[in-house]
Amino acid sequence: MSVAAQDTAVSTGRITRAFIYLILLLFALFYLLPLYVMGVNSVKPLSEITGGNMMALPKEWTLDPWRSAWSTAQIGVNPTGLKPYFLTSILMVVPAVAISTMLGAINGYILTKWRFKGDTIIFGLMLFSCFIPFQIVLIPMARVLGMLGMAGSIQGLILVHVVYGLGFSTLYFRNYYAAFPTELVRAAQIDGAGFFRIFWRIMLPVSGPIAVVCVIWQFTNIWNDFLFGASFGGTTQPMTVALNNLVQSSTGVKEYNVHFAAAILAAIPTLIVYIVAGRYFVRGLMAGSVKG
Amino acid sequence: MGFLDIRNVTKSYGAVKVLHSVDIQVEEGEFLVLVGPSGCGKSTLLNMIAGLETISGGEIAIKDRVVNGVHPSKRNIAMVFQSYALYPNMTVGQNITFGLEMHGTPKPERERALAEVAKLLQIDHLLDRKPGQLSGGQRQRVAMGRALVRDPDVFLFDEPLSNLDAKLRVDMRTEIKKLHHKLKRTIVYVTHDQIEALTLSTRIAVMNKGYVQQLGTPKEIYDSPANLFVATFMGSPAMNIITAKLVIEGGRAQAEITDANGKPLRLAFSSGNFTAWEGREILLGIRPEAITDPEGADRNSHNIQPLHNMVTVTEPAGADTFVTMTLSGKDVIARMRADASVQPHQPFDFAVNMEKAVAFDPKTGDRIITA
Ligand SMILES: Nc1ncnc2c1ncn2[C@@H]1O[C@H](COP(=O)(O)OP(=O)(O)OP(=O)(O)O)[C@@H](O)[C@H]1O
Ligand SMILES: [Mg+2]
């Protein structure tokens, strides 16, 4: 494949290249524009926004909107800023991502290397869960959480997200492990490794790329989720719900600079995950296990 | 009772039977090769010995202990896979000692065993590398090291050389043979390469379509194939099979065939009582190397028969020259010395070593036994 890619790279002329870069640049600008607007307006006093040009750089630089968004802004009835909700989100998203990824890995391992009767049906059902819209499960989920006594708690939210994430994480790992040579598992069996040891020592160490994909996917989805948070969060609401409450509040002046800062705060964790995890998104970990 | 007993073993996948009552006894220190075309069930049988496939019928015993249902790691076997199956995340050293670690061998002992095996296979300098940083031949050695270090009762090899290029394959073949001479361990080795089978084994089981066609020493298999399948599968180029009529003249059985011009000619068998076959059609089997020029004929043979025929093609192949002619309407290949003075499209005086000739029943394909 790399050879083919090189071929096209060589055969495209300079003009074509310049054209492609120009288009890409335009697209990049187009997508970066909102971020720019959010960025500059979050460091202006409110008067500069209401008074004129949204695109202009601030005349007077200030970090007050950020401070306010983080710790003093009025969210609902309390002037707490986003800080407590941010913590709630972290406390929810980290275990939810970890558990759903881990369970997805184990599911994928079983579904490919420890085949049993009916495994394809089970996998099919799990796959099906990827396509169920959130809204459909709201009421049954509320009942289940109620019966478990987990309604309105972080644990409840974690459970909901784990259950909802399992379909995708299983799909990722199953497809990845399907290409993993079964002979390695057999060799490990002969070597005397059991079910979990094979998983820990043989499968997991080479699962880096797919784990990263899965983590990025789950993290983004769970962090950005609004519906489950608003429905099942109760008093422990995640960041997205708080952001909504802040921006939608009908009382007082609309502090756009604070809203922009809050929105960026809400987006930062997913950006960090992309930037950090992307670096580990490397292929080729499988090289050399079997003759290729 | 053998060291490894395969008793009446069958394997079915649902309604499909892929192994039909296989019966093989392997003695301690034997090198048994399972050979046969793709899909004949060699790997399945090997995996059943390893415990990676369940046994549908019959039983397998190692050192008189029936192992049906015993977990692979408890059978005291080691296996080398076709793809080597090296753990990609572990170094060569860790790969080799993983089995010992899983069996709870203490670290100093593991290190000692590793050093010993690494020295034997000359991979000492590779121990800290990952499998991805090794050449095909080196990976092959590591895979063997992983098997050797365990000191098992039986070694199982599933086409261990088929991923190597031609030259390396020959080298590694010799290495494996040397290793067997040195260690005298019991080995079951699967291959579809008949040369590998003949060179390595002390005994060969030739398999086809789930049946063991013949079990015997390389010489038995090569010189006295049990049937047409074994005769044509083992040996390259394959044994010539010529339709012939059996005539008995002066008390001596002769195979009557026709030359390139359709003229009948006769080749007398060395011995054997063919009376039951008199006047009937048989299939005459002659290996290419049993047809030569008169000077190149086997001096120890007591039955060299002349054969005058037209040469169709000559193919010089380095050490040998392959000569094609037509007998009974079919191409027949002779293998001669490189300097045999044979020309294409010319008549030539061949010498046929009929001591090595075999006859088959055209209906069943079985060799005609004429004791
Ligand atoms: N899981 C399975 N279900 C059904 N049939 C199977 C299964 N595994 C193997 N077979 C069949 O069993 C037969 C023997 O397979 P096996 O792998 O032992 O062949 P082989 O002799 O090792 O061939 P090769 O030289 O290609 O490796 C084949 O015909 C194959 O199609
Ligand atoms: Mg096979």
Side-chain angles (χ1 to χ4, degrees):
Chain A
M1 212 200 101
S2 64
V3 175
Q6 266 172 14
D7 280 349
T8 50
V10 170
S11 62
T12 46
R14 280 165 152 253
I15 301 180
T16 332
R17 285 264 213 125
F19 183 71
I20 291 172
Y21 281 132
L22 186 72
I23 300 255
L24 289 176
L25 200 68
L26 285 175
F27 270 109
L29 283 178
F30 180 74
Y31 283 110
L32 283 172
L33 199 61
L35 188 65
Y36 167 80
V37 171
M38 287 168 72
V40 290
N41 289 304
S42 70
V43 289
K44 286 179 194 171
L46 187 58
S47 55
E48 270 186 49
I49 301 177
T50 47
N53 193 351
M54 291 259 282
M55 304 297 286
L57 286 171
K59 290 194 203 68
E60 185 199 332
W61 293 77
T62 167
L63 283 178
D64 284 344
W66 284 79
R67 258 175 237 122
S68 163
W70 182 244
S71 52
T72 61
Q74 187 82 20
I75 312 276
V77 288
N78 300 316
T80 55
L82 288 176
K83 197 163 83 182
Y85 303 94
F86 192 89
L87 286 180
T88 304
S89 270
I90 295 281
L91 288 178
M92 167 190 79
V93 86
V94 171
V97 168
I99 294 171
S100 68
T101 304
M102 206 61 211
L103 286 178
I106 292 178
N107 283 346
Y109 169 54
I110 294 172
L111 288 170
T112 53
K113 303 302 172 211
W114 299 84
R115 310 281 309 268
F116 52 93
K117 227 170 144 65
D119 55 357
T120 40
I121 295 176
I122 295 209
F123 177 60
L125 290 174
M126 298 193 82
L127 201 58
F128 187 60
S129 78
C130 298
F131 303 108
I132 300 176
F134 280 19
Q135 289 79 356
I136 291 183
V137 299
L138 279 183
I139 292 169
M141 191 70 92
R143 268 202 62 93
V144 170
L145 288 179
M147 285 189 317
L148 294 175
M150 289 168 110
S153 69
I154 292 187
Q155 290 87 322
L157 281 178
I158 292 173
L159 178 71
V160 172
H161 285 300
V162 165
V163 169
Y164 223 88
L166 261 187
F168 272 107
S169 59
T170 301
L171 171 69
Y172 286 141
F173 279 97
R174 199 210 78 110
N175 288 353
Y176 189 77
Y177 288 154
F180 185 93
T182 305
E183 281 194 347
L184 281 177
V185 176
R186 296 183 144 196
Q189 271 181 289
I190 291 178
D191 271 343
F195 177 88
F196 278 109
R197 282 238 242 178
I198 294 176
F199 183 60
W200 270 116
R201 299 284 300 271
I202 316 285
M203 308 289 286
L204 265 195
V206 294
S207 308
I210 199 63
V212 167
V213 171
C214 189
V215 164
I216 290 181
W217 172 267
Q218 299 287 358
F219 190 96
T220 318
N221 271 340
I222 299 175
W223 184 272
N224 289 339
D225 162 70
F226 176 77
L227 188 64
F228 285 157
S231 313
F232 307 129
T235 50
T236 55
Q237 288 176 330
M239 186 80 172
T240 43
V241 180
L243 182 65
N244 177 65
N245 291 349
L246 171 71
V247 176
Q248 302 287 341
S249 77
S250 49
T251 52
V253 217
K254 290 236 181 229
E255 295 183 293
Y256 291 113
N257 51 357
V258 176
H259 297 177
F260 280 131
I264 295 177
L265 276 175
I268 278 176
T270 45
L271 278 178
I272 290 177
V273 165
Y274 271 103
I275 291 165
V276 173
R279 286 183 39 196
Y280 297 98
F281 194 87
V282 275
R283 294 244 147 232
L285 286 170
M286 291 297 291
S289 65
V290 295
K291 164 108 180 175
Chain B
M1 281 231 176
F3 189 75
L4 164 67
D5 271 345
I6 302 167
R7 301 188 200 118
N8 236 321
V9 161
T10 58
K11 178 72 186 178
S12 324
Y13 289 108
V16 194
K17 211 164 182 188
V18 298
L19 278 182
H20 305 263
S21 59
V22 174
D23 242 321
I24 303 174
Q25 287 192 5
V26 187
E27 300 305 325
E28 182 160 14
E30 257 202 291
F31 197 130
L32 175 78
V33 172
L34 307 174
V35 68
S38 188
C40 69
K42 317 178 284 289
S43 298
T44 306
L45 182 57
L46 198 73
N47 287 339
M48 284 159 78
I49 300 173
L52 298 169
E53 298 266 11
T54 56
I55 300 169
S56 311
E59 56 184 27
I60 293 177
I62 298 173
K63 281 208 205 158
D64 294 332
R65 174 175 72 126
V66 176
V67 292
N68 298 33
V70 175
H71 190 268
S73 67
K74 306 252 158 61
R75 294 187 180 199
N76 207 13
I77 47 111
M79 188 155 171
V80 176
F81 293 87
Q82 179 172 2
S83 66
Y84 316 143
L86 302 179
Y87 311 125
N89 55 308
M90 299 184 201
T91 64
V92 167
Q94 290 166 334
N95 258 285
I96 293 176
T97 53
F98 185 71
L100 293 179
E101 190 192 336
M102 290 299 117
H103 282 84
T105 313
K107 183 137 197 214
E109 207 169 308
R110 294 206 303 257
E111 309 251 283
R112 201 184 40 70
L114 173 64
E116 209 169 283
V117 165
K119 185 145 164 280
L120 181 69
L121 295 170
Q122 293 158 15
I123 47 173
D124 328 45
H125 57 297
L126 303 173
L127 295 183
D128 293 325
R129 294 215 204 153
K130 293 277 176 71
Q133 302 162 318
L134 301 178
S135 72
Q138 290 168 334
R139 283 180 208 176
Q140 168 62 45
R141 278 166 202 271
V142 176
M144 299 225 297
R146 197 166 64 179
L148 285 171
V149 80
R150 296 264 315 279
D151 196 21
D153 291 332
V154 181
F155 287 93
L156 306 173
F157 289 81
D158 192 354
E159 310 213 19
L161 303 183
S162 62
N163 274 338
L164 302 178
D165 60 49
K167 163 122 180 37
L168 200 53
R169 184 155 25 181
V170 175
D171 293 348
M172 287 307 293
R173 198 168 74 200
T174 316
E175 296 259 323
I176 293 180
K177 180 121 194 175
K178 276 196 220 152
L179 220 52
H180 180 243
H181 274 301
K182 196 151 149 194
L183 304 173
K184 306 225 172 357
R185 312 309 300 273
T186 313
I187 296 176
V188 181
Y189 185 108
V190 162
T191 180
H192 61 254
D193 181 343
Q194 42 92 21
I195 308 227
E196 244 170 60
L198 290 169
T199 49
L200 285 173
S201 66
T202 57
R203 270 200 308 160
I204 300 177
V206 184
M207 298 177 62
N208 190 32
K209 299 190 176 145
Y211 290 95
V212 174
Q213 301 285 335
Q214 188 174 2
L215 177 66
T217 63
K219 191 167 163 49
E220 282 165 7
I221 300 271
Y222 195 75
D223 288 343
S224 329
N227 54 41
L228 277 175
F229 175 82
V230 178
T232 49
F233 187 78
M234 302 299 286
S236 166
M239 180 186 269
N240 296 298
I241 305 294
I242 311 159
T243 313
K245 196 175 119 191
L246 196 110
V247 290
I248 295 181
E249 198 182 76
R252 207 155 171 209
Q254 311 193 1
E256 186 175 285
I257 56 182
T258 57
D259 71 5
N261 299 318
K263 202 165 84 32
L265 53 90
R266 290 179 178 185
L267 295 170
F269 284 102
S270 285
S271 58
N273 178 6
F274 280 92
T275 26
W277 289 85
E278 191 171 358
R280 289 166 64 186
E281 186 177 284
I282 59 161
L283 294 173
L284 175 65
I286 307 175
R287 295 243 175 241
E289 64 272 19
I291 311 176
T292 55
D293 56 322
E295 294 80 46
D298 182 358
R299 270 168 238 293
N300 298 321
S301 171
H302 300 294
N303 186 12
I304 303 287
Q305 307 253 327
L307 189 159
H308 187 77
N309 199 10
M310 201 70 172
V311 172
T312 325
V313 191
T314 63
E315 296 165 276
D320 300 316
T321 297
F322 294 105
V323 180
T324 310
M325 63 176 136
T326 307
L327 284 176
S328 294
K330 265 183 66 187
D331 277 354
V332 167
I333 294 177
R335 180 189 215 147
M336 299 193 186
R337 302 169 293 141
D339 48 359
S341 57
V342 57
Q343 298 296 326
H345 313 300
Q346 299 289 324
F348 187 76
D349 283 309
F350 294 91
V352 182
N353 181 3
M354 284 298 284
E355 254 188 4
K356 295 271 184 185
V358 286
F360 298 96
D361 180 337
K363 283 213 191 61
T364 60
D366 289 338
R367 187 159 56 90
I368 297 171
I369 313 269
T370 57

